[in-house]
Amino acid sequence: MFRCTECQSEYEIKPTFCDCGNDVFEEFITGNINGEKESFETKHPFLHRFFKIYDPISLSIFLICIILSIVILAIPFKEDKEVILEEKTEQKIVKIKDIDEIWDDGVIKKEEVKPILKSSPKDFKLKETSSKKNSKTTVKKTQPKTSNVGKSVSENKKVEDNKINHTENTKNSNQEELKAKEQEQERIKQELLKQKEQEQKALEELQNQKQFREYKISLRNLLFSKIDFTQIIGDGYCVVTFEINENGKLINKKFVQTSTNDMLNDAVFYAVNTTSSFKKPPSLYKNETLKFTVRFISGQYEVGLN
């Protein structure tokens, strides 16, 4: 027989490799040889190896501890029953008599003392004084009840008055809150209206500016179309001013700055004079003087209207 040195698995025929991948084996003989008994190592190699690794004493102690813990857990514990004593409180209902039965507006009646023949005059006096004391005590007991009733009535009236005042105050506060809300809503509406008006004015101004800009551009193009730069020789710069009346007529035409080049001056003056009228100006135009500028340098020109 052959045994693997790593996993201790046995083989009848020596293999090249064990299942664990080891290729080292030790050979051993099974059975009795010459009548000798087999050792524990040969009979039970796994147990022999196990006991070599683990101490049997520590294993036995560990097993005993596990058994004891199982026994302790298996024993049923008796639950202590707590006895709760409940004290029953008896409520005594005391009936209070009506005030009319207790109170009497008349004179307090004294108890009639019947004289006893056998009693002495001293005893008679004592009985009379005791009856007086009892009558006085009854009066003292009954009087506070009426005052308490009066107080309770006044307190109830005060509570009712307070409730009425509270309801009135709440109504007034609610009305004030409603008024404040309405005023706030009106204020917000007015602000929104103002904002809308401002926005409309801004839009109108933008539209007017756009119209006036387009108006000046169209007028400048008209004047530019009437100047023949091919007939001009030399350089120059000149400025002509004019105004436009309500009907669109060009008035108050004059040179503000003339050029040294007379050909340029004549061409510009001709363009302004031949355009006697134009479209009606927009509302943004307020009779301002407009400047028509012409610059001509080495065959390149620049025309503007401001």
Side-chain angles (χ1 to χ4, degrees), residues 44-273:
H44 305 286
F46 178 75
L47 292 174
H48 178 69
R49 189 182 176 195
F50 180 78
F51 286 123
K52 274 186 178 182
I53 295 167
Y54 300 101
D55 187 9
I57 295 167
S58 60
L59 284 171
S60 60
I61 291 166
F62 179 68
L63 291 170
I64 288 163
C65 291
I66 290 169
I67 291 162
L68 287 172
S69 61
I70 291 165
V71 170
I72 289 164
L73 292 170
I75 294 168
F77 292 97
K78 292 181 180 179
E79 295 179 355
D80 296 330
K81 294 181 180 180
E82 295 180 356
V83 180
I84 299 167
L85 297 173
E86 294 180 355
E87 294 181 357
K88 294 181 179 180
T89 57
E90 295 181 356
Q91 295 179 355
K92 292 181 180 181
I93 299 166
V94 180
K95 293 182 179 180
I96 299 168
K97 292 182 179 180
D98 294 331
I99 295 166
D100 296 331
E101 293 179 359
I102 297 166
W103 183 258
D104 189 4
D105 294 330
V107 181
I108 299 166
K109 293 179 182 181
K110 296 181 180 179
E111 293 181 358
E112 293 179 358
V113 180
K114 293 181 181 180
I116 300 167
L117 295 172
K118 292 181 180 180
S119 63
S120 63
K122 292 181 179 179
D123 296 331
F124 180 74
K125 287 179 181 180
L126 290 168
K127 288 180 180 179
E128 189 175 359
T129 54
S130 63
S131 64
K132 286 179 180 179
K133 287 179 180 179
N134 291 324
S135 64
K136 286 178 182 179
T137 53
T138 54
V139 170
K140 286 179 182 179
K141 288 179 182 177
T142 54
Q143 282 177 356
K145 290 182 180 178
T146 56
S147 63
N148 289 326
V149 172
K151 287 180 181 179
S152 64
V153 172
S154 63
E155 286 177 356
N156 290 325
K157 287 182 179 179
K158 286 179 181 179
V159 170
E160 289 177 356
D161 293 333
N162 290 326
K163 286 181 179 178
I164 292 163
N165 292 324
H166 181 68
T167 53
E168 289 178 354
N169 290 324
T170 52
K171 286 180 180 178
N172 292 325
S173 63
N174 291 326
Q175 289 176 356
E176 289 176 356
E177 287 177 357
L178 289 170
K179 287 180 180 178
K181 286 180 180 179
E182 288 176 355
Q183 290 175 357
E184 186 68 20
Q185 288 177 357
E186 288 179 358
R187 186 180 66 78
I188 291 165
K189 286 180 181 178
Q190 289 177 359
E191 287 180 356
L192 291 170
L193 289 170
K194 286 180 181 179
Q195 288 179 358
K196 286 181 179 179
E197 288 177 357
Q198 290 175 358
E199 288 175 356
Q200 286 178 357
K201 286 180 181 179
L203 288 170
E204 287 177 358
E205 287 179 358
L206 290 171
Q207 287 177 357
N208 290 328
Q209 289 176 0
K210 186 179 179 182
Q211 287 177 359
F212 187 53
R213 195 181 301 113
E214 290 175 353
Y215 180 81
K216 287 194 293 183
I217 290 166
S218 60
L219 180 58
R220 184 198 65 186
N221 293 332
L222 179 63
L223 293 171
F224 171 72
S225 65
K226 292 185 178 182
I227 298 171
D228 189 5
F229 288 98
T230 58
Q231 299 296 324
I232 299 169
I233 298 169
D235 300 335
Y237 175 76
C238 63
V239 179
V240 179
T241 59
F242 57 88
E243 295 177 2
I244 303 169
N245 63 6
E246 295 176 354
N247 297 320
K249 188 176 181 180
L250 277 66
I251 57 174
N252 299 327
K253 305 170 188 177
K254 63 182 178 178
F255 272 102
V256 176
Q257 184 177 352
T258 58
S259 176
T260 56
N261 190 347
D262 293 331
M263 295 177 72
L264 180 64
N265 292 331
D266 293 337
V268 171
F269 190 72
Y270 174 78
V272 173
N273 282 330

